[in-house]
Amino acid sequence: MSISLFAPLLYLLLGLGLGRAPFDIKSRASALLTKFVIPLVIIYNIAAHRPGVFAVMAGTMAMMAALLLLSRLSTRDPVRNLCFSYLNIGWLGMPVASTLFGDGAATVFIAAYVGSSLLGNSVGVGLMAGGGSLKARAWETLKAPPVWALLAGVALMPFGPQLQAYARPGYEVLKFLMSLLGMSILGIWLSATRLGVADFGRALRLSALRAAAICVLLALFVAICRQLDIRLVLDNQPALYLMCLLPPAANIIVLETHYMKSGRSAGPIACGTCISIVAIGVYATATLLLR
């Protein structure tokens, strides 16, 4: 238990150290993670899918849509809207869930990541591009690696048993790289961000409100899955509720920089990530001790 609990933290500390190095590896590591490692992990899990994967994808998209609508009741600021509704399921959620809760949790979070990426990229472009054309938004969404990985995974479904038989060792290596790269990149990114007490105060209030909203939405989703007997969800509830503690997605700053030529989301993302790491550590320790 102790090794699995502290592995993501060790990778994060490695990233914090690399952030002070004279060379920059963040961009290359990010490209390797988002364009190679995560898509291959998605392809494997979709092709060799367990029943319930597509239900998790749909449920995640519905939850994000509900969070977005809730946020827009108080503000029409696209940055604040996305910081409330678009979660860091990929770089933070997947590595932690996979390390702490095993393959079932990894499958849940991979499905959730695909759903969040589909909605987050399309809605993010729509909000930040100032209402660009539907064709432009659709093209931006289709260019996202998770979309291509989803399509490839669906195409490879007939070969799922063969993949499970022969590609499992490679998949285990990819899972390790996903955890190592994801947490290290977050550490590098955090090492370059300056934060103040007021920033943490605002982020803490936002995190608490978002956690409460997600908890309610997840309880509703679990209740629906119980009626439909979707075992993938019912067997991985402790990992699923980890989503309540996730921070805003790091991809928001990428979208904001490209479409709005600003970087206001950097502070909320960084503060939210720090708060999330502490909260996840407490939650994971309590959950594993109570097993």
Side-chain angles (χ1 to χ4, degrees), residues 241-258:
Y241 278 97
L242 193 68
M243 289 188 193
C244 298
L245 307 177
L246 293 179
N251 193 45
I252 296 171
I253 188 65
V254 177
L255 293 172
E256 183 189 0
T257 301
H258 182 71

Side-chain angles (χ1 to χ4, degrees), residues 49-112:
H49 76 286
R50 293 174 55 181
V53 164
F54 294 103
V56 174
M57 288 172 53
T60 302
M61 295 176 72
M63 181 181 71
M64 286 182 61
L67 291 173
L68 179 63
L69 292 175
L70 179 61
S71 174
R72 289 180 69 81
L73 290 176
S74 60
T75 178
R76 295 286 174 165
D77 183 340
V79 173
R80 293 174 64 183
N81 292 153
L82 287 177
C83 284
F84 190 79
S85 60
Y86 192 1
L87 305 178
N88 194 339
I89 296 175
W91 288 9
L92 182 60
M94 282 201 298
V96 172
S98 175
T99 302
L100 298 181
F101 297 104
D103 283 348
T107 302
V108 168
F109 268 73
I110 287 164

Side-chain angles (χ1 to χ4, degrees), residues 230-291:
I230 299 178
R231 300 311 310 176
L232 180 63
V233 172
L234 300 180
D235 293 342
N236 292 283
Q237 292 183 56
L240 188 68
Y241 278 97
L242 193 68
M243 289 188 193
C244 298
L245 307 177
L246 293 179
N251 193 45
I252 296 171
I253 188 65
V254 177
L255 293 172
E256 183 189 0
T257 301
H258 182 71
Y259 289 104
M260 300 182 70
K261 313 304 179 186
S262 62
R264 291 185 293 120
S265 60
I269 293 171
C271 290
T273 300
C274 293
I275 293 168
S276 181
I277 289 168
V278 174
I280 288 174
V282 174
Y283 177 77
T285 302
T287 301
L288 293 175
L289 289 176
L290 291 174
R291 280 185 176 180

Side-chain angles (χ1 to χ4, degrees), residues 22 29 45 51 54 64-65 67 79 85 153 157 172 182 204 208 210 214 217 220 225 231 244 249 285:
N45 277 272
F54 294 103
M64 286 182 61
L67 291 173
V79 173
S85 60
M157 276 183 177
E172 294 297 330
L204 184 59
R210 182 172 55 241
I214 294 174
L217 292 169
L220 177 61
C225 290
R231 300 311 310 176
C244 298
T285 302

Side-chain angles (χ1 to χ4, degrees), residues 142-227:
L142 287 174
K143 289 194 299 183
V147 178
W148 291 107
L150 170 63
L151 296 176
V154 171
L156 289 173
M157 276 183 177
F159 306 99
Q162 288 85 350
L163 283 174
Q164 287 181 308
Y166 299 108
R168 183 72 189 188
Y171 172 64
E172 294 297 330
V173 173
L174 289 170
K175 282 204 306 178
F176 167 73
L177 286 175
M178 181 178 69
S179 182
L180 173 64
L181 291 173
M183 296 304 294
S184 296
I185 291 168
L186 280 175
I188 295 172
W189 185 63
L190 288 173
S191 69
T193 306
R194 295 186 180 276
L195 306 171
V197 175
D199 296 321
F200 277 102
R202 287 190 294 269
L204 184 59
R205 290 191 295 271
L206 184 68
S207 297
L209 179 59
R210 182 172 55 241
I214 294 174
C215 185
V216 172
L217 292 169
L218 285 177
L220 177 61
F221 177 58
V222 170
I224 294 172
C225 290
R226 185 171 287 111
Q227 294 298 317

